[in-house]
Amino acid sequence: MAAGPYNYSYIFKYIIIGDMGVGKSCLLHQFTEKKFMADCPHTIGVEFGTRIIEVSGQKIKLQIWDTAGQERFRAVTRSYYRGAAGALMVYDITRRSTYNHLSSWLTDARNLTNPNTVIFLIGNKSDLDAQRDVTYEEAKQFADENGLLFIEASAKTGENVEEAFLETARKIYQNIQDGSLDLNAAESGVQHKPSTARGNALNSDQAPSKEGCSC
Amino acid sequence: MMAGDNDAGVTAAPQQNNPLARKLSKILETRLENDKELLEALKALSTFFTDNSLRTRRNLRSDIECKSLSINEEFAEAFGRVKEELDDVHADVQAMADCCRDMTSRLRATRTQTHELIAKTTKLQTETQRLEMRASVVDAFLERFQLKPEEVKALRGTRDGSLHDNFFDALRRVKQIHDDCKVLLRTKQQTAGLEIMEAMALHQEAAYERLYRWTQSECRVLNSDLPDINATLCQAMRALQDRPVLFTYSVEEFSTARRNAVVRGFIDALTRGGPGGVPRPIELHSHDPLRYVGDMLAWLHQAAASECEHMQSLLKLVTKEGVADVVRQALAHITEGICRPLKVRIEQVVVSEPGLVALYRLANLLKFYEHTMTPTLTADAPLLACLAEMHDLGRRLFFSGLGARAAKLTERVELPPADLGATAGVSRGLALLAEVLESRDSSVARLDARRRDDLAEVVARVVDPLVQACSVSASRLAAVDMAVYMANSLYLIYTTLSLYEFTDRRLEMLQAQVDAHVDTLVSEQASHVLARAELSHVYAHVRAHAPKQGALSVVAGMDAASVKAAVGRFDAYLASPDASALPQCGLLVSPRTRETVAARSVELVSLAYAQIYEAIGAPENGYGDVNAIMPRTPAQVTKLLS
Ligand SMILES: Nc1nc2c(ncn2[C@@H]2O[C@H](COP(=O)(O)OP(=O)(O)OP(=O)(O)O)[C@@H](O)[C@H]2O)c(=O)[nH]1
Ligand SMILES: [Mg+2]
């Protein structure tokens, strides 16, 4: 009975980036509420959403930070990259300029996150195929060259939205299994529950002070 | 019928008439072999009557009588035996009857006795039923109003302080019983109700106390990055909501643990960073004020969001009203620990003179986060106060810095340059203003009244001293130079400001000032044209002349020849009006102002010509034919000039 929506063993932190109007907030809304928000106002600073998913039988809570694409918030939103386990980088397939800016977003993402951060490129608004301004192949090539996962999705129809968020989580989880992601570190973007040992037992001190070299 | 009788009479008559015949026929009809009695008698007779003789015939009777006697004697003897037997039977039956009678009477007696017994038994049976009923009622009562031993045990807790699995069920039972007692109190069972209530209250108190201690120790250790809020703890919080004080204490205990976790996490993020130093420690960017403060605040924002979730998951089973407020209050407490380390660092940045623009943006950033965090916290949260205080500090330092800079730029009275453009001080002041206003466009703070006021103040702090400085510099100049210089400087300020929103009122004021200087220039320019054609004294006379003074043509210097000569020189001006423009007007920076001055001065000149034309044409002034002196009509002049 107590297995409510809060029982998860990991928290993964995501960040959604990309030019204004590409549909970042709509993607988040579609993912968390399964609804399309047709007239979504511009995001002010950052917004926040959560959802619990399951990967390989593990309950994982996604903590998703949706950033504003407007230039004036760049300084603020940059501060949210740190410690993201996953970054969803979004462009609008009907507006070439949003695609052209990807390299600048990617630079930010690479500079401000850690090397294990899973970066997923999303070409949004795939429902507007008639107005397409960026081909699938071109974007796919860009993604391959930069080692990014890639999918075209639509926040409007919901197509591939789930897949993008889940695939990112699967990749992060795989990194954990591989051991390439250090869970003890405070800002790996992944928080892990101490194994379900009861509070009274065993854990009085748990300072993760295994790293002495705080440069 | 009659006929029948007659018939019978007829046929029977012959036979019945002769008795003898009748007798004979009767004898004849007798069939001896059919008379069994006779046959038997004959057979018996043949046994002893063997010798048919007279004597025997004579004796037959006696013999038969003798024989009959002996047989009767035999009979009598036989019956005598039968009688004896019957007498015996009779005696036996008699005895049986007696016995039966006796039994009947005994039975009757028994029956009366049994009846009583049955009545008694029935009574006892109903009694039993009644008692059984009561027993089941009592059982039900006990079931309902008493704890089972295992429940008492569950409530008592274990030696190491942990809770039994069915602790909460037992606690719920105690509570239920306690509540049910209120029903008892309304019945006749008040004493029982009170006693049970009291007992349950004691159980409850002890259990809640135990639960609180358990919760407290459980919460105390939840100070890791991701606290393991287990189902039992959530149940504990739900149970504790019935004891507001304990509930509050427990929430506080949890908040305190989280508060410590958050402070530790903050310090880690500042100094240690992520795994292997990626992401880098925030303090690594302390040389970049905006990034440094921005990273700290973003970290805080994210931490607050996570803590909010932890709080909600702790209280997910709590059903009482106002959980959202409890969460907000707890968050206010949790984030309080951050205030000191945060404040120290931000203060350091703010007072380290990071530059005016940086200060302005810092103040905006702080405002932005104050706004962003407000919904998650209570209005009196220390963190909000801290952010507000830091914002205020930044803002004050910014304005005082801005004022000081503007004062510095304008403290030395500069001579206007030869081109009558803005002085270097004004240009620099405007560059400063532009820089600040520019950063406002990239500002993240919301457009509220406060920000609008801030902008007004920014403008006032810079623009007012600049305008004043211009006036001081201009005071040393001649009228035309001054007007051009002021118009140029004000125009520059105007164009700088007009790029930004919320400067309308200020722009209006500047425009009015520019207009005043343009007016000056217009009249200077017109006078200049008239003076060059030496028409100005003609015009002055025309305007000063009153009809009672007599004809204008007799006034000295106003004779027809002089006027005609002046009009001739004016004609040269008409041929190339631009040649008569004041050289300073060419220095006007704004082409539109330049055009305005030109157009309006031409208008004035035309007007003056028209007035002169009218005066010369008036017969009482004695000039004769006006066309001889002034060949062009005012309309022609206006047309030529436009
Ligand atoms: N047709 C179509 N329209 C979409 C889709 N996703 C978003 N939109 C529209 O695009 C507009 C912008 O969407 P947002 O989600 O607000 O964009 P954003 O990236 O969050 O913008 P900022 O918050 O300013 O950075 C909205 O009007 C949406 O209705 C999509 O998949 N298909
Ligand atoms: Mg948005």
Side-chain angles (χ1 to χ4, degrees):
Chain A
M1 124 221 177
Y6 289 100
N7 282 18
Y8 43 84
S9 26
Y10 294 92
I11 293 184
F12 288 179
K13 194 174 123 182
Y14 280 16
I15 181 164
I16 313 183
I17 54 176
D19 277 10
M20 63 188 246
V22 298
K24 298 181 293 297
S25 304
C26 289
L27 283 168
L28 174 60
H29 197 76
Q30 177 64 252
F31 180 65
T32 56
E33 311 288 327
K34 302 202 163 55
K35 272 189 218 123
F36 177 61
M37 236 190 330
D39 32 57
C40 170
H42 280 302
T43 304
I44 304 294
V46 282
E47 271 152 25
F48 166 68
T50 60
R51 195 182 128 183
I52 290 179
I53 58 165
E54 208 174 299
V55 171
S56 308
Q58 290 282 353
K59 284 238 167 72
I60 294 172
K61 177 166 209 166
L62 298 185
Q63 191 179 81
I64 308 158
W65 294 86
D66 166 34
T67 66
Q70 276 175 291
E71 181 60 35
R72 69 186 176 114
F73 291 109
R74 258 326 233 293
V76 167
T77 55
R78 277 195 183 111
S79 296
Y80 288 79
Y81 288 61
R82 52 179 298 122
L88 307 184
M89 190 164 74
V90 188
Y91 70 95
D92 177 349
I93 65 159
T94 70
R95 277 193 295 145
R96 180 147 209 104
S97 62
T98 66
Y99 174 79
N100 293 339
H101 290 157
L102 286 178
S103 52
S104 127
W105 288 111
L106 186 58
T107 310
D108 267 5
R110 291 251 194 265
N111 287 342
L112 297 165
T113 60
N114 58 53
N116 289 311
T117 301
V118 174
I119 304 180
F120 205 119
L121 178 64
I122 300 177
N124 190 33
K125 309 198 186 176
S126 62
D127 55 298
L128 300 176
D129 202 48
Q131 287 143 260
R132 179 184 284 278
D133 208 7
V134 181
T135 64
Y136 178 88
E137 292 70 25
E138 186 181 3
K140 176 74 180 137
Q141 192 184 343
F142 175 83
D144 288 344
E145 281 165 7
N146 290 286
L148 312 174
L149 299 167
F150 173 59
I151 207 168
E152 282 191 349
S154 166
K156 187 171 181 179
T157 65
E159 187 195 11
N160 283 343
V161 173
E162 198 90 342
E163 284 76 357
F165 284 86
L166 294 185
E167 192 53 37
T168 309
R170 272 184 221 117
K171 191 86 177 95
I172 297 168
Y173 189 69
Q174 196 184 321
N175 285 346
I176 295 172
Q177 302 301 79
D178 294 353
S180 50
L181 199 62
D182 181 1
L183 288 181
N184 286 330
E187 295 187 84
S188 56
V190 173
Q191 289 178 308
H192 178 43
K193 273 208 177 155
S195 63
T196 41
R198 288 298 301 269
N200 300 354
L202 204 129
N203 56 345
S204 47
D205 263 339
Q206 33 78 260
S209 55
K210 56 176 240 183
E211 269 175 73
C213 71
S214 63
C215 335
Chain B
M1 164 91 115
M2 272 292 264
D5 281 351
N6 284 348
D7 279 352
V10 173
T11 51
Q15 288 151 2
Q16 287 164 352
N17 288 343
N18 192 350
L20 186 67
R22 249 189 290 158
K23 191 107 181 154
L24 190 69
S25 72
K26 193 176 174 190
I27 290 166
L28 283 174
E29 271 166 23
T30 306
R31 304 276 164 115
L32 287 176
E33 71 269 21
N34 285 347
D35 191 345
K36 278 185 183 157
E37 221 172 285
L38 185 69
L39 283 179
E40 280 295 316
L42 287 179
K43 225 187 256 175
L45 185 65
S46 58
T47 55
F48 61 90
F49 192 74
T50 47
D51 188 16
N52 198 353
S53 63
L54 188 63
R55 219 186 47 107
T56 51
R57 268 191 311 261
R58 223 178 266 154
N59 287 345
L60 181 58
R61 174 161 291 261
S62 69
D63 276 355
I64 288 171
E65 279 171 0
C66 209
K67 191 96 176 162
S68 176
L69 184 69
S70 83
I71 286 171
N72 278 331
E73 268 167 4
E74 260 174 63
F75 247 93
E77 193 189 340
F79 272 106
R81 279 205 305 275
V82 168
K83 184 197 168 280
E84 269 166 42
E85 295 270 301
L86 278 176
D87 282 348
D88 280 354
V89 167
H90 174 77
D92 281 353
V93 167
Q94 194 71 44
M96 271 167 73
D98 283 351
C99 193
C100 278
R101 219 180 352 268
D102 182 41
M103 270 167 71
T104 308
S105 72
R106 272 167 63 187
L107 274 175
R108 197 171 290 132
T110 312
R111 216 171 70 190
T112 42
Q113 276 176 1
T114 315
H115 192 71
E116 250 171 66
L117 201 70
I118 285 172
K120 242 180 173 170
T121 312
T122 319
K123 229 175 87 188
L124 283 176
Q125 254 167 8
T126 42
E127 178 79 352
T128 311
Q129 264 171 11
R130 205 173 58 83
L131 286 177
E132 267 169 6
M133 218 355 223
R134 288 184 72 165
S136 65
V137 166
V138 167
D139 277 350
F141 181 85
L142 288 180
E143 172 81 12
R144 197 152 182 165
F145 287 97
Q146 285 281 302
L147 289 176
K148 293 190 196 70
E150 64 267 22
E151 285 172 333
V152 175
K153 197 166 149 240
L155 282 180
R156 205 168 284 142
T158 58
R159 199 173 280 278
D160 63 358
S162 64
L163 298 178
H164 276 291
D165 288 344
N166 41 10
F167 176 87
F168 292 105
D169 292 336
L171 186 62
R172 210 169 304 127
R173 275 269 297 149
V174 175
K175 192 177 163 201
Q176 183 64 48
I177 293 173
H178 192 267
D179 286 350
D180 288 348
C181 283
K182 287 177 192 144
V183 181
L184 273 190
L185 289 185
R186 266 187 261 128
T187 66
K188 281 183 293 184
Q189 313 297 335
Q190 290 192 353
T191 355
L194 276 177
E195 271 170 21
I196 296 173
M197 230 171 158
E198 211 165 292
M200 290 307 137
L202 285 176
H203 273 305
Q204 252 181 328
E205 280 324 301
Y208 276 121
E209 181 70 24
R210 208 160 286 125
L211 180 60
Y212 167 58
R213 298 233 172 283
W214 178 84
T215 307
Q216 201 181 25
S217 66
E218 199 79 344
C219 284
R220 203 168 282 157
V221 295
L222 291 180
N223 55 1
S224 62
D225 284 342
L226 182 58
D228 178 26
I229 296 162
N230 59 47
T232 321
L233 189 55
C234 295
Q235 279 182 299
M237 292 313 290
R238 176 174 57 190
L240 284 173
Q241 66 181 321
D242 292 333
R243 289 286 180 283
V245 175
L246 297 183
F247 180 79
T248 308
Y249 284 170
S250 301
V251 169
E252 275 172 17
E253 194 69 44
F254 180 79
S255 308
T256 304
R258 297 313 303 157
R259 174 180 153 143
N260 294 338
V262 169
V263 171
R264 207 187 45 234
F266 185 58
I267 301 297
D268 276 356
L270 281 171
T271 56
R272 193 196 299 251
V278 181
R280 312 240 232 128
I282 294 176
E283 279 188 349
L284 224 56
H285 302 287
S286 56
H287 59 274
D288 177 349
L290 230 67
R291 171 146 191 213
Y292 180 44
V293 175
D295 277 5
M296 285 195 281
L297 293 173
W299 187 94
L300 185 54
H301 181 202
Q302 291 179 291
S306 293
E307 292 311 320
C308 185
E309 301 230 321
H310 297 157
M311 213 58 227
Q312 279 165 350
S313 87
L314 177 74
L315 302 181
K316 68 177 166 179
L317 298 179
V318 173
T319 48
K320 73 171 184 176
E321 298 249 309
V323 172
D325 284 336
V326 173
V327 170
R328 266 199 291 275
Q329 252 157 26
L331 277 177
H333 179 66
I334 292 171
T335 51
E336 187 181 1
I338 291 280
C339 291
R340 248 175 53 86
L342 181 72
K343 188 173 158 186
V344 169
R345 285 169 177 80
I346 295 180
E347 246 169 14
Q348 234 167 21
V349 172
V350 168
V351 300
S352 68
E353 302 191 351
L356 278 179
V357 173
L359 260 181
Y360 186 63
R361 296 181 66 176
L362 271 180
N364 274 331
L365 190 68
L366 286 159
K367 188 86 199 149
F368 170 76
Y369 275 103
E370 190 189 329
H371 212 100
T372 304
M373 305 287 290
T374 298
T376 33
L377 301 168
T378 49
D380 60 353
L383 179 64
L384 290 183
C386 171
L387 290 176
E389 192 192 335
M390 291 299 96
H391 162 75
D392 236 47
L393 177 67
R395 189 171 168 275
R396 268 188 291 116
L397 286 180
F398 164 71
F399 279 125
S400 64
L402 189 66
R405 274 279 286 285
K408 189 129 186 273
L409 284 173
T410 52
E411 79 191 340
R412 201 165 54 87
V413 178
E414 283 175 290
L415 222 55
D419 64 359
L420 297 181
T423 59
V426 171
S427 304
R428 260 182 275 134
L430 286 177
L432 170 67
L433 185 65
E435 201 185 359
V436 170
L437 293 181
E438 207 71 62
S439 79
R440 183 199 62 175
D441 277 352
S442 64
S443 157
V444 290
R446 268 155 247 241
L447 277 174
D448 53 13
R450 175 84 188 267
R451 217 187 121 200
R452 217 166 283 199
D453 292 349
D454 275 5
L455 288 174
E457 188 162 355
V458 167
V459 171
R461 293 247 183 183
V462 180
V463 169
D464 288 349
L466 286 184
V467 173
Q468 276 165 19
C470 288
S471 307
V472 172
S473 305
S475 63
R476 308 183 179 179
L477 299 175
V480 175
D481 287 351
M482 180 184 103
V484 171
Y485 168 70
M486 285 304 286
N488 280 343
S489 299
L490 291 171
Y491 171 74
L492 195 61
I493 297 172
Y494 183 95
T495 46
T496 308
L497 275 186
S498 64
L499 296 177
Y500 308 99
E501 16 165 35
F502 308 125
T503 51
D504 300 359
R505 268 197 48 226
R506 182 57 59 160
L507 287 176
E508 223 170 274
M509 280 164 59
L510 286 169
Q511 185 63 58
Q513 280 171 284
V514 171
D515 286 349
H517 295 293
V518 166
D519 284 349
T520 311
L521 279 178
V522 167
S523 69
E524 288 293 332
Q525 174 68 61
S527 318
H528 177 67
V529 169
L530 294 179
R532 280 221 4 195
E534 290 168 39
L535 260 178
S536 34
H537 79 275
V538 175
Y539 179 56
H541 280 300
V542 166
R543 294 196 51 186
H545 184 72
K548 64 174 188 318
Q549 290 169 328
L552 189 58
S553 55
V554 301
V555 174
M558 283 298 285
D559 53 301
S562 307
V563 173
K564 196 174 161 116
V567 170
R569 281 190 295 276
F570 182 70
D571 234 26
Y573 158 71
L574 286 181
S576 59
D578 293 341
S580 302
L582 283 169
Q584 293 94 326
C585 285
L587 296 175
L588 280 171
V589 177
S590 155
R592 246 193 64 217
T593 315
R594 233 180 294 147
E595 276 160 28
T596 311
V597 171
R600 284 184 47 206
S601 56
V602 158
E603 228 171 83
L604 269 187
V605 170
S606 306
L607 215 66
Y609 186 84
Q611 279 181 317
I612 296 170
Y613 188 86
E614 194 188 339
I616 303 298
E620 68 271 19
N621 282 332
Y623 286 101
D625 182 15
V626 64
N627 289 327
I629 300 169
M630 303 178 80
R632 294 179 200 278
T633 62
Q636 284 170 326
V637 168
T638 307
K639 205 169 163 217
L640 275 174
L641 286 176
S642 57

